[in-house]
Amino acid sequence: KLEENTILLARVGGAFANGSDDFNDLKKSAEELTNQIIELTTVYGDSAVKAQEAAAIFARAGRDEQETLEATRVALIASRIAELDVVEAAKLLSGAMLQFNLNASQLLPTLDALNTLSNSYRVTTNDLLQSYCRNSLRRQRLRRRRCGRR
């Protein structure tokens, strides 16, 4: 499954290998990313296959290798803090990145702020991430309506 997901990363990672169109360059970048993901999963204790699937979510959003790796690292942390599956955490974080124009380096402080709120009030980090994502979807819908699109 790791090899299969590496090929998936190469296919969806259009920003990998400095934007190269050569599949061999993309695959090499995806293999390097997979090795780094495996290292992350040994540190944060999750499945390498699930972490690759999370990375593919960020890669599909046009993130390069470094952004994808950092976002995957934060998704692994979020999965522990919010008691979510790492793929679900990646979907929520990716949605927040797109809607609020965040880069990967802004995800951890955002997650930290949500966790601080969770510790201060009777709400879970998972609930806050879900509402953060829902808010971003509402924001997108409102923006489309203002522009006359549905």
Side-chain angles (χ1 to χ4, degrees):
K1 188 74 178 166
L2 281 172
E3 179 63 28
E4 192 176 304
N5 282 348
T6 301
I7 292 170
L8 173 67
L9 279 170
R11 286 186 178 149
V12 300
F16 290 5
N18 296 319
S20 172
D21 287 336
D22 184 7
F23 185 75
N24 290 325
D25 291 342
L26 293 170
K27 188 170 183 226
K28 184 178 178 194
S29 290
E31 287 168 349
E32 290 170 10
L33 180 62
T34 294
N35 290 334
Q36 292 171 317
I37 288 170
I38 291 169
E39 288 177 27
L40 283 178
T41 57
T42 57
V43 171
Y44 296 104
D46 211 314
S47 159
V49 171
K50 288 285 189 183
Q52 275 184 315
E53 291 171 11
I57 291 167
F58 297 113
R60 278 188 189 103
R63 306 295 171 173
D64 66 18
E65 299 98 307
Q66 285 310 113
E67 283 263 309
T68 297
L69 184 65
E70 177 60 16
T72 302
R73 183 180 77 84
V74 176
L76 286 164
I77 294 168
S79 73
R80 294 291 175 244
I81 291 172
E83 299 176 6
L84 285 167
D85 176 75
V86 69
V87 174
E88 182 64 24
K91 288 176 183 176
L92 293 172
L93 291 170
S94 178
M97 288 175 82
L98 291 170
Q99 292 307 309
F100 295 107
N101 201 25
L102 302 174
N103 59 43
S105 65
Q106 294 171 304
L107 286 179
L108 191 56
T110 301
L111 180 62
D112 185 45
L114 294 174
N115 191 46
T116 299
L117 283 171
S118 169
N119 292 335
S120 300
Y121 301 98
R122 293 204 281 187
V123 63
T124 67
T125 305
N126 182 355
D127 290 339
L128 289 169
L129 275 170
Q130 295 281 348
S131 63
Y132 196 64
C133 188
R134 276 194 302 270
N135 185 39
S136 69
L137 290 172
R138 283 188 190 112
R139 187 173 168 214
Q140 182 182 28
R141 286 185 196 125
L142 284 172
R143 192 178 302 142
R144 284 185 185 155
R145 285 184 187 142
R146 280 190 217 135
C147 295
R149 293 175 285 185
R150 298 230 179 230

